[in-house]
Amino acid sequence: MIAKYHKAISIVLHDDSTLRVSTGPNNSLEVTRVVVNPVNKSKGYGTMLMNLFLGFLRNELGYVPQLFLECTGSINFQGEILRSSVSEQTAFFRKFGFRVSNRKHYPDYVSMIRKVEEIETLPMAA
């Protein structure tokens, strides 16, 4: 068994759908959880969480640092194991610029990465 300890920040919606992120190496961030309450699956809640998170980074940092995550095909939500295929998970994250970085264990597990997104600033008005 492997135990990981992460200092993390979570964005939690009213139905307990959650996005959790922790710090990674070299000023990167690891998305450690994106889970949508099953009663609201396919209603855009996962997309809403990702857009809130990316928008927050852009607004607060002025850029989006390198992000990485792991797709495992299942996640625990309030004691229930929710399953979706690794290919479904990677398709979701591709919409936000993530790309598979390690597919050695596909279809059981893949790692994904999103490169740094620099935000170009507009020139100041005179």
Side-chain angles (χ1 to χ4, degrees), residues 10-20 33-41 44-46 48-49 77-78:
S10 296
I11 300 171
V12 182
L13 301 180
H14 68 283
D15 69 343
D16 291 328
S17 296
T18 304
L19 182 144
R20 182 175 65 204
R33 169 173 291 242
V34 177
V35 62
V36 173
N37 187 320
V39 300
N40 289 315
K41 188 174 178 174
Y45 281 50
M48 181 188 332
L49 285 166
F77 180 77
Q78 298 178 343

Side-chain angles (χ1 to χ4, degrees), residues 86-111:
V86 168
S87 62
E88 288 174 314
Q89 291 177 351
T90 58
F92 172 77
F93 289 111
R94 283 181 190 280
K95 296 187 306 186
F96 302 99
F98 285 86
R99 298 296 176 253
V100 173
S101 60
N102 181 348
R103 60 180 300 119
K104 179 179 175 183
H105 301 287
Y106 182 82
D108 300 318
Y109 164 91
V110 299
S111 299

Side-chain angles (χ1 to χ4, degrees), residues 11-116:
I11 300 171
V12 182
L13 301 180
H14 68 283
D15 69 343
D16 291 328
S17 296
T18 304
L19 182 144
R20 182 175 65 204
V21 64
S22 64
T23 57
N26 302 318
N27 296 319
S28 67
L29 295 173
E30 179 181 8
V31 178
T32 59
R33 169 173 291 242
V34 177
V35 62
V36 173
N37 187 320
V39 300
N40 289 315
K41 188 174 178 174
S42 301
K43 294 182 180 175
Y45 281 50
T47 297
M48 181 188 332
L49 285 166
M50 288 298 297
N51 285 333
L52 283 168
F53 172 58
L54 294 172
F56 173 81
L57 293 172
R58 288 179 187 115
N59 289 333
E60 296 303 315
L61 300 178
Y63 75 106
V64 177
Q66 180 176 294
L67 304 173
F68 65 98
L69 56 85
E70 300 170 342
C71 296
T72 62
S74 65
I75 194 163
N76 185 320
F77 180 77
Q78 298 178 343
E80 178 184 353
I81 301 298
L82 305 178
R83 301 197 187 282
S84 62
S85 71
V86 168
S87 62
E88 288 174 314
Q89 291 177 351
T90 58
F92 172 77
F93 289 111
R94 283 181 190 280
K95 296 187 306 186
F96 302 99
F98 285 86
R99 298 296 176 253
V100 173
S101 60
N102 181 348
R103 60 180 300 119
K104 179 179 175 183
H105 301 287
Y106 182 82
D108 300 318
Y109 164 91
V110 299
S111 299
M112 297 186 82
I113 194 165
R114 184 181 192 277
K115 294 184 179 183
V116 174

